[in-house]
Amino acid sequence: MKLAGFCFFAGSLLASSPTFNKDVAPIFHERCVQCHHPNDIAPMSLLDYKSARAWAKSIREAVLTRKMPPWFADPQFGHFANDARLKKDEIETIKAWVDGGAKEGDSGDLPKAPMFTEGWRLGTPDIVIDIGETFTLGAGNDAYEHFTVPTNFTEGKWIRAAELRPGNRRVVHHAHINMVSSSTEAGPTTIQAMKPLDEFLVHDGKLTRVSMDAPVLNDACAADAPDLPYIHGFQEGALASYLPGRSPDVFADGTAKWIPAGTKLEFVIHYAKTSAATQTDRTSVGLYLASGPPERPLRRMDLRNFFFLIPAGAPRHEVKRCYTFEKDKLLLSITPHMHYRARDVRYDLVRPDGRHEVLLSVPHYDFNWQLVYRLQDPMLVEKGSLLTVTTHYDNPNATAIRWGDKSEEEMMTSWIEYVDPERHSALQR
Ligand code: HEC
């Protein structure tokens, strides 16, 4: 009896030692390989056993410390559809796999790996439009480039997703696409379009910044805040964006974006500093058509503060921006965008009846990971509600930092996707 019992125990221990093919690959397929496949943003592929095996120790470390998958929202606040955090049992499985010798297992256990079509994460697009030229980037500084290209659409189209795909991931740091009607028009999210700002701006080639002696407004929520450009209301957001770690723009079910006939696409691309070698790029966007008009057109409002000043040496310098809802809106997602010096950001909502909630808190903001936080369920926010965005910055430099395109300068931007709560039976665009 005793012996049989022992054998049974040893047998079950052996059977419970996880293998790559049976236990770990399904987790990697679901949680890791969208970045960890050949020629994407991550340094190694986790699709095949050999390449994953070589990284076993650092995989253990990265999942135990929750460095991977990247996710920065404080779990105390909000629920997010794209929450990337691994479940406890997934972490346990990966840990046990590594501790058990990172075994491959039975080849019959290996599930079918997700397919990656020529680098398009969303599969083959219906329409692909690129920047229209092969752009050559010299060594050295950051560059901000604009490319305006025709869609040649003779009729308008509803799109359900847009995947902005960098041509050269070594140099494309982030990119946006605006819809414009002529090649001389600057899209709504570009600084060139923000005419009332002109007197406060300094242009440095194609890079722009707010001048050091422009008015300073760190707390744009203060009752006595002067009426500076863009500190109230919002601006219409871009069609699509590419940011490190951000998943492609897939519009929520029942929504779509409208691209009118004759629209031109303005690509705004931030090329980050490159080393000695000259690099080329040909970035493109893949458009995915919706099957018909949506119940609700998707919109994005961008909230910014251009007038903060982060004093030299300041630790945890606070900057705020407020927005009062001018009508009811159904919120879908939030994307904070700052640069290297941002330390945290938080979104507080106070409804007309006084109820307060934190929509999103990112206690350790990281410029290298610019994630979109998609709300688990669309959130109805009533007219008159007040949204406060609070950011803190650390400035270890001997000079003050103001708003600017360069990564070493700062931004304070939030993109919020929303739809009208009313379903549109007869659509007004
Ligand atoms: C959103 C894209 C993305 C996802 C999802 C993701 N990774 Fe990564 N991973 C990266 C990138 C980019 C790097 C390299 C930059 C870095 O280390 O921050 C990286 C680095 C790593 C490293 C090296 C860490 C180090 O310290 O050098 C490991 C190990 C790793 N990932 C494991 C995983 C595992 C395991 C998962 C899934 C459970 C995962 N990653 C999910 C993008 C991703």
Side-chain angles (χ1 to χ4, degrees), residues 124-142:
T124 310
D126 296 306
I127 299 164
V128 177
I129 298 173
D130 72 21
I131 56 175
E133 61 183 271
T134 300
F135 178 70
T136 302
L137 181 72
N141 282 326
D142 285 19

Side-chain angles (χ1 to χ4, degrees), residues 8 41 49 73 145 177 186 196 221 236 244 251 280 291 293 303-304 358 369 380 404 410 414:
F8 175 76
I41 59 171
Y49 172 69
E145 296 292 334
I177 297 182
C221 303
E236 202 63 43
F251 309 142
T280 58
S291 54
L303 311 180
R304 299 182 169 89
V358 178
W369 291 110
L380 179 66
E410 271 303 334
S414 302

Side-chain angles (χ1 to χ4, degrees), residues 31-32 34-36 41-44 46 58-59 67-68 70 369:
R31 310 294 214 133
C32 318
Q34 75 266 34
C35 302
H36 287 272
I41 59 171
M44 73 292 196
L46 294 180
S58 59
I59 289 171
K67 183 178 175 216
M68 286 286 150
W369 291 110

Side-chain angles (χ1 to χ4, degrees), residues 30-274:
E30 202 191 323
R31 310 294 214 133
C32 318
V33 300
Q34 75 266 34
C35 302
H36 287 272
H37 68 262
N39 303 321
D40 210 290
I41 59 171
M44 73 292 196
S45 168
L46 294 180
L47 278 170
D48 66 287
Y49 172 69
K50 261 210 181 121
S51 126
R53 171 81 184 80
W55 285 83
K57 280 226 167 67
S58 59
I59 289 171
R60 183 185 189 276
E61 169 81 14
V63 300
L64 282 176
T65 57
R66 292 194 180 273
K67 183 178 175 216
M68 286 286 150
W71 184 255
F72 299 90
D74 182 337
Q76 277 186 76
F77 306 109
H79 298 282
F80 301 95
N82 61 331
D83 191 334
R85 283 174 308 145
L86 293 179
K87 296 190 206 82
K88 282 216 172 71
D89 60 311
E90 293 174 317
I91 297 177
E92 282 311 312
T93 302
I94 294 171
K95 179 173 177 287
W97 172 64
V98 178
D99 293 344
K103 298 208 174 59
E104 180 167 17
D106 196 335
S107 63
D109 289 338
L110 186 65
K112 208 165 169 282
M115 295 283 290
F116 297 96
T117 329
E118 275 180 61
W120 292 107
R121 292 206 191 161
L122 303 180
T124 310
D126 296 306
I127 299 164
V128 177
I129 298 173
D130 72 21
I131 56 175
E133 61 183 271
T134 300
F135 178 70
T136 302
L137 181 72
N141 282 326
D142 285 19
Y144 246 86
E145 296 292 334
H146 296 244
F147 306 88
T148 302
V149 291
T151 55
N152 297 321
F153 290 176
T154 51
E155 53 182 34
K157 294 186 196 306
W158 287 108
I159 57 162
R160 61 179 172 84
E163 179 172 349
L164 217 175
R165 182 176 158 204
N168 181 344
R169 289 177 194 274
R170 276 187 298 253
V171 292
V172 176
H173 184 270
H174 60 266
H176 309 292
I177 297 182
N178 294 307
M179 293 191 277
V180 294
S181 52
S182 80
S183 38
T184 49
E185 178 192 339
T189 63
T190 61
I191 198 79
Q192 285 80 357
M194 299 180 189
K195 289 288 173 233
L197 270 180
D198 274 358
E199 61 173 308
F200 307 113
L201 298 179
V202 182
H203 299 281
D204 229 340
K206 288 185 177 160
L207 297 170
T208 305
R209 61 190 152 84
V210 160
S211 73
M212 273 299 166
D213 54 12
V216 174
L217 184 57
N218 291 308
D219 182 1
C221 303
D224 61 349
D227 192 14
L228 293 164
Y230 303 110
I231 66 150
H232 300 298
F234 65 90
Q235 293 149 271
E236 202 63 43
L239 174 67
S241 297
Y242 167 81
L243 294 167
R246 178 187 172 91
S247 43
D249 288 277
V250 179
F251 309 142
D253 283 353
T255 74
K257 281 191 182 176
W258 175 246
I259 305 184
T263 297
K264 293 187 167 58
L265 298 184
E266 180 198 31
F267 288 77
V268 183
I269 305 184
H270 186 170
Y271 291 104
K273 276 198 181 88
T274 53

